[in-house]
């Protein structure tokens, strides 16, 4: 089975060297791996939360699409589309909004940070906060859940949003009695490069310290590199390569041997001017061919438009039937079939036990086995790793399980190891009935 991986790119700016090394390059490399079903989308709805400059959003959509294609993204191998070309995304966003507790949104980091800033200024806590910013995590959940992505690579600042997407998916599944949504897993790539900018801080448009990736050509790249801040050590003086952000930039694009040679040269007294020239030559070697493809694509926006529309068509082959199933689930059915469908849904729900994953207050990953009427039959022991919890849950659905009385409660064992516990039944007769009901529920999965 392929693993579906989904990545969104907000269209609110022009890509720089840090974006390429930290996100674009590793994502494209990962998409070429066997067994990966990769989805890449331009998050242009999300951009509207960050800026009201329509020209900037329009330009960024073009630049980002051209950048990813020039950098080697294969639209034949992956699904590459614009968020705004998939009408099922905002529709799903509304369905999810209707089951999302407001309290969950109140805890979102971005919203809380804005409220804290307003409070510090002495203005109304919600001053300047749009509903787009407030409910941003629900739209992000819709992006992910519409395609039932298994894994979502994100920065650490987005982990909470992925956890919210899992919470929302789990709540929907529970309310409507079926596993409509896969619970997505967070992927944090620790090895991904975070490049320093011209001043040594993280390269970011917010700090105005970026090195352009393609825009402005080789001349703009060279001008930026020559502005990189260095210490006052003169040619001939040994440099502290390990703490020099010029070396960190070089290492992100060089082979191990090239990086070692460059470090040795710095420590032997190579001048900063020569070092910057060496970095320019290294970057040109890697970027010149991509830049030429980028310029060609930018000159033919209609070609990019065709690629994005083809990607949207591919994506909607999944989205359209899935949203139809979700509409059926929530009761938005054709009137001629409403009664029959409702009866069928109730009949199905009446005999459907289910597993539900959740994260407890201590941050551990757990799951419950619920009877069709919602009664809790089992609750798992805590796991630090969500994959381990998921693996145990799958084993309970597919392998023989030992159920044993334990006091007036009971325990489920795999390989003679307790993995879940039943409730305290209070008396032997109720315990025996609960054991029988739990065995029957587990048998429905085995069947």
């Amino acid at each position: 089975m392929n693993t579906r991986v989904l990545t969104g790119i907000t269209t609110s700016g022009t890509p720089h060297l840090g974006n390429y090394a930290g996100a674009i390059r590793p994502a494209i490399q990962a998409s070429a791996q066997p067994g990966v079903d990769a989805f890449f989308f331009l998050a242009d709805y999300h951009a509207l939360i960050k800026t009201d400059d329509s020209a900037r959003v329009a330009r960024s959509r073009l630049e980002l699409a051209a950048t990813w294609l020039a950098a080697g993204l294969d639209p034949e191998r992956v699904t590459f589309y614009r968020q705004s070309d998939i009408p099922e995304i905002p529709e799903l966003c509304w369905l999810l909004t209707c089951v999302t507790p407001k309290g969950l949104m109140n805890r979102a980091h971005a919203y809380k940070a804005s409220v804290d800033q307003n409070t510090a200024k002495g203005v109304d806590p919600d001053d300047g906060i749009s509903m787009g910013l407030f409910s941003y995590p629900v739209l992000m959940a819709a992006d992910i859940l519409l395609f039932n992505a298994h894994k979502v690579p994100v920065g650490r600042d987005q982990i909470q949003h992925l956890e919210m997407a899992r919470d929302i998916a789990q709540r929907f599944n529970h309310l409507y009695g079926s596993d409509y949504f896969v619970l997505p897993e967070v992927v944090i790539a620790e090895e991904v490069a975070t490049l320093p900018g011209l001043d040594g801080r993280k390269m970011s448009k917010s700090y105005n310290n970026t090195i352009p990736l393609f825009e402005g050509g080789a001349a703009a790249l060279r001008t930026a590199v020559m502005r990189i801040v260095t210490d006052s050590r003169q040619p001939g003086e040994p440099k502290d390569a390990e703490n020099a952000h010029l070396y960190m930039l070089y290492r992100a694009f060089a082979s191990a041997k090239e990086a070692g040679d460059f470090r040795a040269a710095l420590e032997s007294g190579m001048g900063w001017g020569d070092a910057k020239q060496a970095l320019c030559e290294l970057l040109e070697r890697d970027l010149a061919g991509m830049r030429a493809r980028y310029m060609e694509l930018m000159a033919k926006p209609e070609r990019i438009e065709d690629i994005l529309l083809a990607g949207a068509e591919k994506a909607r082959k999944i989205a359209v039937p899935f949203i139809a199933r979700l509409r059926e689930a929530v009761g938005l059915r054709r009137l001629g079939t409403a009664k029959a469908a409702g009866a069928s849904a109730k009949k199905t729900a009446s005999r459907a036990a289910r597993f539900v994953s959740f994260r407890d207050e201590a941050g551990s990953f757990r799951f419950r086995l619920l009877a069709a009427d919602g009664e809790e039959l089992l609750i798992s022991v805590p796991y630090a790793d969500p994959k381990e919890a998921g693996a145990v849950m799958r084993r309970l659905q597919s392998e023989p399980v030992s159920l044993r009385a334990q006091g007036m409660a009971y325990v489920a064992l795999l390989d003679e190891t307790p993995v879940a516990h039943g409730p305290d039944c209070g008396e032997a007769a109720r315990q025996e009935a609960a054991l029988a009901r739990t065995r029957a529920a587990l048998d429905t999965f085995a069947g």
Side-chain angles (χ1 to χ4, degrees):
M1 175 180 153
N2 287 343
T3 298
R4 183 166 291 168
V5 181
L6 183 140
T7 301
I9 313 101
T10 305
T11 58
S12 57
T14 301
H16 54 70
L17 201 66
N19 298 142
Y20 174 72
I24 297 172
R25 181 174 62 183
I28 292 174
Q29 290 171 345
S31 73
Q33 297 298 313
V36 172
D37 181 17
F39 280 59
F40 292 88
F41 69 95
L42 302 177
D44 45 3
Y45 281 147
H46 287 295
L48 303 182
I49 299 170
K50 297 184 175 183
T51 178
D52 57 5
D53 185 342
S54 60
R56 178 182 175 186
V57 172
R59 177 72 179 178
S60 182
R61 295 202 312 169
L62 176 61
E63 290 174 342
L64 275 164
T67 296
W68 282 82
L69 293 169
L73 189 69
D74 182 357
E76 297 298 322
R77 182 182 180 91
V78 308
T79 304
F80 184 44
Y81 57 97
R82 276 178 303 228
Q83 185 184 37
S84 59
D85 286 334
I86 314 295
E88 291 75 24
I89 292 175
E91 180 171 359
L92 177 56
C93 182
W94 180 250
L95 297 183
L96 299 179
T97 297
C98 292
V99 303
T100 301
K102 178 178 177 289
L104 184 65
M105 295 297 96
N106 288 342
R107 295 191 291 274
H109 294 325
Y111 172 65
K112 287 176 66 178
S114 296
V115 169
D116 290 344
Q117 289 172 9
N118 285 336
T119 302
K121 293 175 185 176
V123 299
D124 184 88
D126 286 324
D127 183 59
I129 298 176
S130 69
M131 282 304 299
L133 173 64
F134 181 71
S135 59
Y136 165 88
V138 187
L139 179 56
M140 184 172 171
D143 293 326
I144 297 164
L145 299 177
L146 181 62
F147 298 106
N148 273 324
H150 302 104
K151 296 185 177 182
V152 184
V154 295
R156 291 198 170 277
D157 60 333
Q158 293 288 323
I159 291 177
Q160 186 198 42
H161 292 152
L162 259 293
E163 292 175 343
M164 287 180 167
R166 289 173 61 91
D167 289 342
I168 294 167
Q170 189 169 277
R171 183 174 177 83
F172 188 99
N173 288 348
H174 175 69
L175 286 173
Y176 293 104
S178 186
D179 291 333
Y180 294 100
F181 298 119
V182 169
L183 303 187
E185 294 181 15
V186 175
V187 177
I188 302 293
E190 300 289 359
E191 72 281 2
V192 168
T194 299
L195 293 191
L198 303 180
D199 56 3
R201 293 181 294 177
K202 176 184 175 182
M203 192 177 295
S204 169
K205 291 185 288 290
S206 301
Y207 298 145
N208 193 30
N209 67 350
T210 62
I211 297 174
L213 182 60
F214 299 139
E215 286 295 308
L221 178 67
R222 179 179 177 79
T223 297
V225 169
M226 292 302 166
R227 291 173 51 216
I228 294 174
V229 175
T230 57
D231 63 31
S232 59
R233 298 180 206 193
Q234 299 299 309
E237 291 185 68
K239 312 298 188 294
D240 180 8
E242 192 61 33
N243 293 309
H245 44 277
L246 185 66
Y247 171 65
M248 296 177 197
L249 285 163
Y250 191 96
R251 186 173 57 188
F253 290 87
S255 66
K257 182 180 184 308
E258 289 170 332
D261 291 345
F262 187 69
R263 176 174 183 156
L266 286 171
E267 292 174 346
S268 297
M270 181 187 209
W272 290 122
D274 291 339
K276 291 178 179 180
Q277 177 61 33
L279 177 59
C280 282
E281 292 172 359
L282 177 70
L283 294 176
E284 268 304 294
R285 183 192 71 188
D286 279 14
L287 302 181
M290 287 187 278
R291 187 190 300 122
R293 292 194 293 275
Y294 173 82
M295 295 303 182
E296 180 184 350
L297 287 162
M298 289 293 288
K300 298 178 180 177
E302 66 281 358
R303 181 179 170 192
I304 297 177
E305 182 72 13
D306 289 343
I307 290 171
L308 290 170
L309 291 178
E313 183 178 357
K314 189 192 302 187
R316 294 196 70 210
K317 287 180 180 178
I318 298 170
V320 170
F322 187 46
I323 206 73
R325 182 182 172 215
L326 297 177
R327 288 171 65 90
E328 178 79 13
V330 302
L332 305 180
R333 312 179 183 102
R334 292 183 181 276
L335 296 182
T337 61
K339 184 175 180 180
S344 175
K346 288 178 182 177
K347 183 178 179 181
T348 300
S350 70
R351 62 171 185 268
R354 61 192 182 277
F355 281 92
V356 176
S357 301
F358 69 100
R359 198 167 187 179
D360 64 21
E361 293 181 356
S364 298
F365 296 91
R366 309 179 75 173
F367 58 82
R368 294 184 175 94
L369 172 61
L370 302 178
D373 60 4
E375 179 188 353
E376 181 181 294
L377 302 176
L378 289 171
I379 183 169
S380 76
V381 299
Y383 294 94
D385 184 353
K387 294 181 181 178
E388 185 179 4
V392 172
M393 186 168 65
R394 288 190 291 274
R395 287 188 64 190
L396 288 174
Q397 297 177 47
S398 60
E399 299 180 17
V401 182
S402 175
L403 293 176
R404 294 180 188 169
Q406 189 176 72
M408 285 295 103
Y410 52 94
V411 62
L413 302 99
L414 290 172
D415 303 326
E416 296 301 311
T417 301
V419 295
H421 301 271
D424 189 328
C425 301
E427 59 184 54
R430 292 179 61 189
Q431 180 189 49
E432 187 58 36
L435 277 167
R437 196 174 191 202
T438 303
R439 287 193 187 97
L442 291 170
D443 287 345
T444 63
F445 292 99

